[in-house]
Amino acid sequence: MTLGVTLGSTAVLRTVDATVRLAGEARDAGLHSAWFGQSFAYDSPSLAAIVGREVPGLQVGTSAIPIFGRHPLLVSSQAQTAQAATGGRYHLGLALGTGHLTETAFGIPYERPIGLLREFLTALRPLLETGGADFHGELLTATTPYSAAVPGAEPPVPVLVAAMGPQALRVSGELADGILPFLAGPRALGEHIVPAVTAAAAAAGRPAPRIVALVPGVVTAHAEAVRESAAEALALYERIPSYRRAVELSGASRAAEIAVIGDEETVAAEVRRYREAGATEVVFTATELGGEDDRRRTWRLLGELSRG
């Protein structure tokens, strides 16, 4: 199982140069991948492309780009450009987003999200694989009067979806390469999420999906203080139904209870639980909650675990 970290979030915005330096530190610590969230600030595929080109050997990805307000043709161009720039080390993450942000920011009705996800993925896959599309759906159209292929964008960009609900998992299993669950503990993964997406992939004749679990986590000697910070940082997700459901299915009542916080032995044991629950990759988020010393300590442990 490979291990990575997130480098970009809505709470911590760094300059591009600072992000590149931090990515180099992640690679040197032995981490496998660095992931970037999509905020209203920087463009995450562009940032991932720059980081991946500047830091050889590090896998880079976006987690995740909301599909409302975007079009498969444009997302394909972004993803293929990042793939070409990084020599095949880019991973595209997509998300449904939320009704509040979609309608407030874009003025777009948040309607039929599962239907849009299905059509978006159906149009996107041939674009990434062949550079062409001729899709006419109920919610979007994507056609290519000339090739949309980007030279050097090989192999085809893998597509993952931040899916956790039953319908989104079904569509993701059928049409994507994997999923990016966040705030879904080992219990939710093992009993609900992994079986659902794996069954959908099998029914569609697709390979077993990647399960890239995003987990808030910090190695620290000050567990109680860091957990208080996590409770504040993660509280907003408790108001979003998909995350609230994942937390509850994990046997928790608060999002911060999903966070993996403690000494090296405690965190290593939790990483093993995610692997046993079906995660193929674990990406730690919010590693900066305890300060720089704890972040470095966390990355050091993850690098050691990644190297086996």
Side-chain angles (χ1 to χ4, degrees), residues 46 67 87 99 139-140 147 244 257 288 308:
S46 298
I67 58 174
L139 304 174
L140 64 84
S147 177
R244 187 169 62 245
E257 295 174 42
E288 73 283 349

Side-chain angles (χ1 to χ4, degrees), residues 2 21 50-51 73 80 123 170 172 192 199 201 205 210 217 230 244 254 258 260 280:
T2 60
R21 288 193 295 270
I50 293 168
V51 168
L73 280 166
Q80 289 190 73
R170 185 179 308 114
S172 300
H192 301 278
R210 290 169 56 189
R244 187 169 62 245
R254 299 291 307 277
I258 306 300
V260 177
T280 58

Side-chain angles (χ1 to χ4, degrees), residues 183-198:
L183 293 179
R187 178 175 165 185
L189 281 179
E191 296 180 7
H192 301 278
I193 292 173
V194 174
V197 71
T198 301

Side-chain angles (χ1 to χ4, degrees), residues 214-260:
L214 275 72
V215 183
V218 181
V219 178
T220 181
H222 310 286
E224 289 305 315
V226 174
R227 195 166 292 281
E228 289 180 9
S229 297
E232 181 178 350
L234 299 173
L236 65 96
Y237 293 101
E238 296 165 6
R239 300 193 292 272
I240 301 173
S242 59
Y243 292 112
R244 187 169 62 245
R245 178 178 181 273
V247 168
E248 292 171 353
L249 290 175
S250 301
S253 57
R254 299 291 307 277
E257 295 174 42
I258 306 300
V260 177

Side-chain angles (χ1 to χ4, degrees), residues 6-224:
T6 59
L7 295 186
S9 71
T10 56
V12 180
L13 292 177
R14 303 177 179 89
T15 65
V16 171
D17 287 344
T19 302
V20 169
R21 288 193 295 270
L22 199 61
E25 183 180 334
R27 178 200 57 192
D28 293 344
L31 292 163
H32 178 260
S33 62
W35 296 76
F36 304 89
Q38 178 63 55
S39 68
F40 292 115
Y42 57 71
D43 179 68
S44 57
S46 298
L47 186 58
I50 293 168
V51 168
R53 192 166 183 84
E54 292 292 318
V55 187
L58 187 69
Q59 301 287 318
V60 292
T62 54
S63 178
I65 300 172
I67 58 174
F68 280 90
R70 276 120 180 139
H71 190 278
L73 280 166
L74 301 180
V75 171
S76 169
S77 295
Q78 289 179 300
Q80 289 190 73
T81 302
Q83 185 75 324
T86 60
R89 289 178 284 118
Y90 176 71
H91 307 257
L92 172 62
L94 300 174
L96 292 174
T98 68
H100 173 70
L101 287 178
T102 297
E103 294 177 354
T104 300
F106 297 122
I108 299 173
Y110 190 77
E111 298 174 350
R112 300 181 62 186
I114 300 300
L116 180 61
L117 176 63
R118 179 175 292 280
E119 292 195 7
F120 201 102
L121 291 172
T122 301
L124 180 65
R125 290 211 67 94
L127 287 166
L128 297 176
E129 293 171 358
T130 69
D134 186 17
F135 179 79
H136 302 266
E138 294 182 53
L139 304 174
L140 64 84
T141 294
T143 64
T144 45
Y146 47 86
S147 177
V150 174
E154 298 173 352
V157 178
V159 179
L160 304 106
V161 180
M164 293 184 291
Q167 295 183 75
L169 288 170
R170 185 179 308 114
V171 173
S172 300
E174 294 173 4
L175 297 171
D177 299 299
I179 57 171
L180 293 156
F182 176 52
L183 293 179
R187 178 175 165 185
L189 281 179
E191 296 180 7
H192 301 278
I193 292 173
V194 174
V197 71
T198 301
R206 293 185 56 78
R210 290 169 56 189
I211 312 295
V212 184
L214 275 72
V215 183
V218 181
V219 178
T220 181
H222 310 286
E224 289 305 315

